[in-house]
Amino acid sequence: MACPPHAIVIPYPAQGHVIPLMEVAHALADRGFNVTFVNTEFNHARVVAAMSNGAGSGLGRIRLVEVPDGMAPGEDRNQLVRLTILMAEFMAPRVEELILRSGEDGACPGKITCMVTDYNVGYWAVDIARRTGIRVGAVWPASAAVMVTLLSFPKLIEDNIIDAEDGSTVGEGTFQLSPDMPVMHSAHLAWNCIGDHDQQATLYRLLVDGVRAMEQCDFVICNSFQDAEPASFKLFPNVLPVGPILTGERSGKAVGHFWQPEDDECMSWLDTQPERSVVYVAFGSFTMFDRRQFEELALGLELSGRPFLWVVRPDIGHGAVHDYPEGFLDRVCGVGGQGKLVSWSPQQRVLAHPAVACFVSHCGWNSTMEGVRNSVPFLAWPYFADQFVNQVYISDVWKVGLKAVADDSGVITKEHIAGRVEELMGDAGMRERVEAMKKAAHQSIQEGGSSHGNFDAFAEAMKNAAPQEVSVQDGGASPGNFHTLADGMKA
């Protein structure tokens, strides 16, 4: 008896990428695939440790595999540019070996028949797929708008928006990719928001190479939905919207998280709070604060007078007890106090809780989609990379949140934080808009919805040995394979 189709899934080694790629793996398994999910050794250990019942809990057809990332023990893996460069040297040979040796014993899961790679992994994964003769699809786990900026490199250079060599800002720095797209700032492009100039230039060149590699992909799917970003999908209709992808929760269990879950104490605390009263505060896995900003955030939450649930990662930088404002923990976070501090939260469940009224967020795309799915308005506070473009959509395009604005010294003050929270709480129009987005998001992923249909078509095509066309579920467009998207890069 023949084994089912077998996909190797390769996430970029950061939590905001591992989580949605894990859900893609589950969605493929739901459609009959066996899956080999490849994490770096460092991240594999964290994912397994964070799973409540061990490595095999709830994985079914999914097999977790670890490969080296080339970084030394204890080295800072938030050095994304260095990590990306090392992946090509250390991960690539092991991934190719996994593919070539798969199915040798004749038992299931059998020979790997296709690859699903995070777009951000880069050219080497696509090269391996082509050398080993398997078809390859890429997952773009962020907004379609950010992907459109990458696919528009030639236009941005031709229009004198960015420098061709390093991607840095030239000219006035603002641009619009089409009349329907929002005005963007070249200083806020993803590669211009990471590290120093040399790191930005290196990342830019890696991204350009990545776009060229995507010409060789059979398909690209995106964690967004048609009604969220219609202008982006109009510009590049071959990108298949399949979102919003369920990120991190499967049958009540966290999947793909790096942080060890605590008990459900925060959920029990939410149960004691009035409906739509709680400010939820979470800044993802990368955001760091200096001491002053951390204290202003704490004091702003206190000044709001609202109950709050604040996720303070162990490594957030200045999040140790002695860096809280004097007396803050006693005044605000004691028994029966205004606030609740946790080092990790089951974010899907928190945002779905009726007590949550608004979301103070770094605007990471997973968090953005989770807030939209649960009709929670945002106080948008981006930190780096794509988050600034996401903020534009939250506050200016969808109008489901307000921007956190720094003062002349670069600090978002406690008074501003408290004031914005009060605005969010009282804005009925914003509540209506985010409810409408929630409805559209849920319709897209239900049976018969556009995103659901796109993923079905993608999965079916990935089962086939020969390339075939996939019809995008958006009301009429029927593009072919993804490689036609990047024709403009050939010039």
Side-chain angles (χ1 to χ4, degrees):
M1 184 175 179
C3 291
H6 183 182
I8 186 168
V9 177
I10 311 170
Y12 185 83
Q15 179 168 265
H17 296 253
V18 172
I19 290 174
L21 268 289
M22 181 67 84
E23 175 55 29
V24 168
H26 277 286
L28 289 170
D30 290 343
R31 290 162 173 83
F33 283 76
N34 290 329
V35 177
T36 293
F37 192 88
V38 181
N39 259 322
T40 62
E41 292 170 344
F42 182 80
N43 289 345
H44 174 85
R46 299 181 76 182
V47 167
V48 170
M51 295 179 71
S52 57
N53 294 313
S57 174
L59 291 178
R61 292 175 174 268
I62 300 172
R63 176 180 62 139
L64 303 183
V65 174
E66 55 185 322
V67 298
D69 62 12
M71 299 190 85
E75 193 172 357
D76 180 10
R77 283 165 171 80
N78 288 347
Q79 299 179 72
L80 297 182
V81 174
R82 173 167 165 75
L83 179 59
T84 302
I85 292 170
L86 288 173
M87 286 163 57
E89 180 180 354
F90 289 88
M91 289 183 67
R94 293 293 298 276
V95 168
E96 186 160 7
E97 182 183 10
L98 278 170
I99 295 170
L100 292 173
R101 296 187 61 181
S102 62
E104 284 184 344
D105 59 3
C108 285
K111 185 167 182 59
I112 290 171
T113 57
C114 63
M115 175 189 290
V116 178
T117 178
D118 191 315
Y119 188 112
N120 298 277
V121 165
Y123 62 90
W124 60 264
V126 179
D127 284 351
I128 288 171
R130 289 309 177 206
R131 283 201 303 272
T132 56
I134 61 175
R135 77 178 332 173
V136 57
V139 181
W140 178 253
S143 72
V146 172
M147 185 177 190
V148 163
T149 64
L150 305 186
L151 297 175
S152 299
F153 280 143
K155 177 174 172 56
L156 293 174
I157 293 167
E158 181 183 345
D159 292 348
N160 205 35
I161 302 300
I162 62 171
D163 183 83
E165 293 300 316
D166 63 11
S168 60
T169 298
V170 296
E172 295 183 1
T174 59
F175 64 94
Q176 219 174 349
L177 289 172
S178 78
D180 298 327
M181 293 285 288
V183 174
M184 297 183 185
H185 294 265
S186 53
H188 288 167
L189 291 168
W191 58 90
N192 284 331
C193 299
I194 294 179
D196 57 26
H197 176 267
D198 289 342
Q199 287 182 308
Q200 292 172 11
T202 301
L203 179 61
Y204 168 75
R205 289 189 287 271
L206 288 169
L207 289 170
V208 170
D209 288 343
V211 171
R212 290 180 174 139
M214 290 306 113
E215 295 180 42
Q216 304 301 315
C217 280
D218 296 306
F219 310 103
V220 172
I221 60 176
C222 176
N223 182 20
S224 187
F225 58 105
Q226 185 68 38
D227 289 345
E229 304 180 82
S232 295
F233 294 117
K234 183 178 179 181
L235 275 176
F236 290 96
N238 296 63
V239 177
L240 306 179
V242 299
I245 293 170
L246 181 66
T247 43
E249 290 282 332
R250 272 240 162 197
S251 302
K253 294 179 180 178
V255 177
H257 282 271
F258 291 177
W259 305 99
Q260 178 68 41
E262 299 173 346
D263 58 23
D264 284 342
E265 188 179 347
C266 67
M267 299 304 298
S268 300
W269 182 84
L270 285 173
D271 290 341
T272 69
Q273 305 303 318
E275 186 173 342
R276 289 184 181 173
S277 66
V278 173
V279 182
Y280 175 58
V281 188
F283 288 91
S285 57
F286 274 93
T287 302
M288 304 290 282
F289 291 116
D290 62 29
R291 183 179 189 126
R292 183 183 173 194
Q293 186 61 83
F294 185 85
E295 290 184 347
E296 287 292 312
L297 173 55
L299 293 172
L301 295 173
E302 181 180 6
L303 185 61
S304 75
R306 302 282 184 171
F308 63 86
L309 174 62
W310 184 9
V311 180
V312 184
R313 292 193 330 270
D315 69 338
I316 202 166
H318 295 281
V321 172
H322 61 274
D323 285 326
Y324 288 99
E326 186 176 354
F328 175 81
L329 295 177
D330 292 334
R331 290 194 310 272
V332 179
C333 300
V335 176
Q338 174 190 350
K340 177 73 175 173
L341 304 182
V342 296
S343 60
W344 179 94
S345 78
Q347 185 160 285
Q348 285 276 5
R349 292 165 60 202
V350 167
L351 289 169
H353 198 285
V356 173
C358 65
F359 184 8
V360 182
S361 172
H362 65 307
C363 309
W365 190 247
N366 289 337
S367 291
T368 299
M369 288 289 95
E370 288 166 5
V372 164
R373 282 180 57 120
N374 291 287
S375 65
V376 180
F378 297 83
L379 177 54
W381 189 332
Y383 177 66
F384 82 144
D386 64 317
Q387 297 161 12
F388 293 93
V389 172
N390 300 343
Q391 181 196 55
V392 170
Y393 273 80
I394 288 168
S395 60
D396 300 342
V397 178
W398 305 330
K399 300 184 187 303
V400 297
L402 299 173
K403 292 180 180 179
V405 182
D407 65 10
D408 292 341
S409 69
V411 173
I412 298 170
T413 66
K414 57 183 180 292
E415 293 84 4
H416 181 75
I417 294 165
R420 284 301 210 204
V421 165
E422 203 58 34
E423 286 183 71
L424 285 171
M425 295 289 197
D427 194 328
M430 189 171 294
R431 174 65 64 178
E432 290 177 3
R433 289 189 292 274
V434 75
E435 287 282 358
M437 282 204 73
K438 173 185 176 179
K439 182 178 179 181
H442 279 268
Q443 286 177 341
S444 73
I445 58 176
Q446 300 302 314
E447 187 101 26
S450 59
S451 289
H452 191 281
N454 282 337
F455 200 99
D456 280 348
F458 166 72
E460 195 60 34
M462 293 297 283
K463 292 177 181 178
N464 296 313
Q468 69 175 47
E469 293 190 353
V470 171
S471 296
V472 179
Q473 302 296 306
D474 67 350
S478 299
N481 291 345
F482 173 75
H483 58 79
T484 59
L485 283 176
D487 288 344
M489 295 300 295
K490 294 175 183 176

